[in-house]
Amino acid sequence: MKHGKKYIESAKLVDRNKLYDPNEALELAVKTAAAKFDETVEVHIRLGVDSRHADQQVRGAVVLPNGTGKNVRVAVFAKGSDADAAQAAGAEIVGAEDLVAKIQGEGFMDFDVCIAAPNMMGLVGRLGKVLGPRGLMPSPKAGTVTPDVAKAVEEAKAGKIEYRLDKTNIMHCPIGKTSFGAEKLGENFATLLDAVIKAKPAATKGQYIRSCTVASTMGPGIRVNPTKVG
C-alpha cells in the first residue's frame, strides 16, 4: 500500500515497536494528524473473546463526556406523544410507516443514528437487511430501542457511541476530533475503555484486552500498552 508524503512524515514520529501510554499515544495522534480537515480519532481494540459464542459478545453504548465533535442526525420510529417528544428533543427525522416506506422505496439513509419506541419494532424489523449491515438497526443493548425516545435522542446528540465487535473480535470507535486536544480525547478514551472493561463476559479466559491502537483519520496507527488501559 502506497502512502502520501504527509503520512510518511507523520509515521516517522511513531515508534512501531513501542507500546505507548494512553496519554502519550493520544498526543501523538493529534501531532501526526496532517490533513487539512479536522480528523476523527478512532480507537481499535482487539479483545480476547470469541464473538461467535453468544456468551462472549461484547456490545453496548456509552456517552462520551466531550462528545464526538460530529453533528449527529437522528431518525426516530415513533407515533403520537413519542413522536412529539422525539421532535422536541431534536430528532431530524420522525415517522412510522411513512419512514419505513421512504427507506425501502427511496433508499433514504440520511441519518447517523436510528432510534425506535418498543411498539415500533414490529415495523422496523422489516428494515433489518437495510439497517443491519450499516450498524443502524435499533437495539435494546445499545439503548436505541427505548420507551424514553426523547432521552435517547438527547444522548445521541450529546455524543453517545455504540461499541460492538466485528467478526475478527475487534471494535472500532470514534472518540472525538483532533481539535479536541489530547486531554479531552483522553477523557473520552478512558470513558470508553471503562465501559468495555465493565462489559467483559464472564466466559472470557486469559487476557481480555489483547491490543489497542489509536489513529487519526489519515494518520498512522499508534499502539497503546494494554496493561496501562483501564
Side-chain angles (χ1 to χ4, degrees):
M1 182 178 176
K2 291 185 178 180
H3 292 292
K5 289 181 181 178
K6 287 183 179 179
Y7 178 95
I8 292 169
E9 287 302 311
S10 293
K12 290 177 182 177
L13 301 172
V14 179
D15 183 346
R16 297 180 68 86
N17 297 313
K18 180 178 178 179
L19 293 175
Y20 291 88
D21 285 350
N23 288 342
E24 192 179 2
L26 291 167
E27 284 174 3
L28 261 179
V30 172
K31 193 174 181 180
T32 54
K36 292 180 180 179
F37 61 91
D38 193 6
E39 297 181 47
T40 296
V41 175
E42 282 201 350
V43 181
H44 308 276
I45 309 164
R46 181 186 293 275
L47 297 182
V49 298
D50 187 344
S51 60
R52 293 174 297 178
H53 299 290
D55 62 351
Q56 293 188 51
Q57 285 287 339
V58 181
R59 182 179 182 182
V62 62
V63 178
L64 300 179
N66 299 304
T68 62
K70 182 179 180 181
N71 181 27
V72 179
R73 298 162 300 171
V74 181
V76 180
F77 288 92
K79 287 181 176 179
S81 59
D82 286 338
D84 294 337
Q87 283 183 323
E92 282 80 2
I93 306 122
V94 181
E97 287 87 356
D98 56 331
L99 184 52
V100 171
K102 194 171 182 180
I103 292 170
Q104 283 183 326
E106 302 172 24
F108 176 76
M109 295 297 297
D110 193 19
F111 50 89
D112 306 297
V113 175
C114 190
I115 294 164
N119 61 358
M120 290 283 103
M121 284 310 292
L123 194 64
V124 179
R126 302 175 196 171
L127 300 173
K129 290 183 179 179
V130 180
L131 299 178
R134 293 173 172 82
L136 291 169
M137 190 66 183
S139 155
K141 281 190 176 181
T144 46
V145 176
T146 171
D148 193 347
V149 291
K151 182 182 178 183
V153 171
E154 289 166 359
E155 288 182 340
K157 293 283 187 181
K160 186 175 187 177
I161 62 164
E162 184 178 357
Y163 56 86
R164 61 190 297 182
L165 292 170
D166 65 13
K167 291 179 181 178
T168 60
N169 301 317
I170 300 174
M171 53 179 60
H172 314 271
C173 302
I175 57 166
K177 300 288 186 179
T178 52
S179 61
F180 283 19
E183 186 176 341
K184 286 186 175 181
L185 288 170
E187 291 169 359
N188 283 357
F189 177 88
T191 299
L192 170 64
L193 266 293
D194 184 54
V196 172
I197 289 167
K198 284 180 179 176
K200 179 181 178 180
T204 305
K205 296 179 181 178
Q207 188 175 348
Y208 179 50
I209 296 180
R210 294 284 176 87
S211 68
C212 179
T213 302
V214 298
S216 63
T217 306
M218 306 296 288
I222 302 155
R223 297 167 69 208
V224 180
N225 188 340
T227 64
K228 298 288 180 72
V229 165

